[in-house]
Amino acid sequence: MHKSFSASFSFDIERLSVRLEQGTVTSLLEENGTIKGVQYKTKDAQEFSACAPLTIVCDGCFSNLRRSLCNPKVEVPSCFVGLVLENCELPCADHGHVILGDPSPVLFYPISSTEIRCLVDVPGQKVPSISNGEMAKYLKTVVAPQVPPELHAAFIAAVDKGHIRTMPNRSMPADPYPTPGALLMGDAFNMRHPLTGGGMTVALSDIVVLRNLLKPLRDLNDASSLCKYLESFYTLRKPVASTINTLAGALYKVFCASPDPARKEMRQACFDYLSLGGLFSEGPVSLLSGLNPCPLSLVLHFFAVAIYGVGRLLLPFPSPKRLWIGIRLIASASGIILPIIKAEGIRQMFFPATVPAYYRAPPDA
């Protein structure tokens, strides 16, 4: 079910009138290449259409509308298995916890004064079956031994309780088609691995960018001019979105267990780098939170982790084996982050001012 709120706006200097309707959107209304609105069904299965000069499509990760507005390249690197632990305390109260487990991370964070949500990352698109007990067995035999002692009993109790939920983790670079009359937002056109919880940060940042673009407008009815102007949205959002997207994808790959000695060293180096505190933890955390939306800073910290890992290998006395692992560590780090940056768009990330849409003024300016 895709819930949609279609609002028709008419702008006036002194007032803003809004009509709000709710229904399940089935398709976009298109006329000569311009989106005119949406077709939708109400709760009693009646079909209606809603027209507006600008349709904002934000129907989430399961979007059935995105294909006509972007080039979706959805990857599913893993799935989250969710549990709620009751009446237990985290090792560090009121903080989120990332357990660097094998084969992949496990997250714990408080959701109330008595409840802790646990998200177990299971690599791949297929998870053990819940119905035949395979999932409970996997959680008890593979995951439970890696859970902190303070949470172990509550974790087993949550598994036995059986309220287990699964959710595919999707990743999709933003690759929209500028379409007159429509604009894509949210998970409908851009997703990242949820390990870092950056999705809402990106969404709220996108809303601010769009708000600022729409603020000077008094008329949305010139679809072609508006479309050309709103292309800048996809560039202006890049500093925050691309930083969080890249960091989420890179951290997930670094935090996953691997038999490769170079990847093991990279994982441990990342943990130890963050443990140094000060600039070494504040910098990455400010990137994670969107407080420092600087792609260059992200790249510098990421390769600083790799160099830190190489330095630990070579000191106090390098050996041919350690030197070789160090070279492979740098190569592995490059192999992790560079494809993500390429997918995000090198020019848009690091040189947004060179993108023509960056300079476009409002149609009525």
Side-chain angles (χ1 to χ4, degrees):
M1 296 287 284
H2 297 277
K3 293 296 183 184
S4 173
F5 296 88
S6 177
S8 177
F9 296 94
S10 61
F11 285 86
D12 188 276
I13 293 177
E14 296 183 355
R15 74 177 187 271
L16 172 69
S17 62
V18 178
R19 185 179 76 252
L20 180 64
E21 299 177 7
Q22 185 176 359
T24 301
V25 174
T26 56
S27 64
L28 297 172
L29 299 177
E30 184 177 343
E31 183 180 309
N32 299 323
T34 299
I35 303 300
K36 295 295 187 178
V38 297
Q39 192 84 21
Y40 70 96
K41 287 184 178 180
T42 58
K43 288 183 178 179
D44 55 2
Q46 289 185 295
E47 289 199 11
F48 293 93
S49 61
C51 296
L54 178 63
T55 300
I56 298 175
V57 177
C58 47
D59 55 340
C61 64
F62 298 106
S63 172
N64 63 346
L65 304 177
R66 65 161 67 105
R67 289 193 175 277
S68 58
L69 301 174
C70 76
N71 181 25
K73 297 176 182 176
V74 181
E75 295 182 4
V76 182
S78 65
C79 297
F80 266 157
V81 177
L83 300 163
V84 175
L85 280 58
E86 298 177 336
N87 301 314
C88 58
E89 292 188 8
L90 289 162
C92 188
D94 301 323
H95 287 69
H97 291 60
V98 180
I99 311 301
L100 300 185
D102 186 355
S104 52
V106 181
L107 306 182
F108 293 96
Y109 55 91
I111 56 174
S112 77
S113 58
T114 59
E115 296 174 310
I116 294 169
R117 174 160 289 136
C118 169
L119 296 176
V120 178
D121 186 87
V122 179
Q125 300 183 23
K126 187 177 180 181
V127 297
S129 172
I130 296 176
S131 59
N132 65 11
E134 288 182 3
M135 177 62 77
K137 181 180 178 181
Y138 176 83
L139 293 174
K140 287 183 176 181
T141 59
V142 177
V143 180
Q146 305 179 70
V147 170
E150 298 92 330
L151 305 174
H152 189 271
F155 181 85
I156 296 296
V159 174
D160 289 337
K161 197 171 183 179
H163 293 164
I164 302 172
R165 300 290 183 266
T166 63
M167 177 71 178
N169 294 326
R170 289 172 166 81
S171 177
M172 185 180 78
D175 189 10
Y177 304 137
T179 305
L183 188 78
L184 271 169
M185 286 191 72
D187 285 353
F189 90 113
N190 185 206
M191 293 178 281
R192 76 288 310 150
H193 195 283
L195 173 70
T196 59
M200 189 57 71
T201 304
V202 173
L204 294 174
S205 172
D206 283 355
I207 290 169
V208 172
V209 172
L210 182 60
R211 185 276 312 267
N212 292 339
L213 285 172
L214 294 178
K215 197 171 184 180
L217 300 182
R218 292 295 179 268
D219 182 11
L220 302 179
N221 288 293
D222 187 346
S224 59
S225 296
L226 181 64
C227 175
K228 190 175 182 181
Y229 169 61
L230 290 181
E231 279 187 56
S232 58
F233 167 76
Y234 299 117
T235 301
L236 294 172
R237 68 181 294 274
K238 276 292 180 179
V240 173
S242 61
T243 298
I244 292 177
N245 293 348
T246 304
L247 190 55
L251 277 182
Y252 176 69
K253 291 184 177 180
V254 169
F255 283 170
C256 283
S258 171
D260 184 351
R263 290 288 295 272
K264 287 182 179 179
E265 287 292 338
M266 183 70 180
R267 188 192 203 196
Q268 189 60 46
C270 185
F271 180 85
D272 292 343
Y273 182 89
L274 294 171
S275 299
L276 292 173
L279 174 66
F280 306 103
S281 62
E282 291 172 5
V285 169
S286 67
L287 292 167
L288 276 170
S289 61
L291 296 176
N292 178 29
C294 180
L296 182 59
S297 178
L298 164 62
V299 172
L300 291 175
H301 274 289
F302 189 80
F303 280 103
V305 170
I307 293 169
Y308 175 71
V310 172
R312 296 189 331 152
L313 284 167
L314 300 183
L315 295 175
F317 300 107
S319 68
K321 181 181 178 181
R322 285 175 168 265
L323 180 60
W324 174 239
I325 293 175
I327 293 172
R328 288 178 54 210
L329 192 157
I330 295 293
S332 176
S334 301
I336 287 173
I337 197 170
L338 294 182
I340 301 175
I341 291 175
K342 183 180 178 181
E344 288 292 322
I346 296 173
R347 185 181 181 187
Q348 291 87 342
M349 278 184 68
F350 298 101
F351 310 103
T354 67
V355 179
Y358 189 84
Y359 297 103
R360 287 176 183 156
D364 58 350

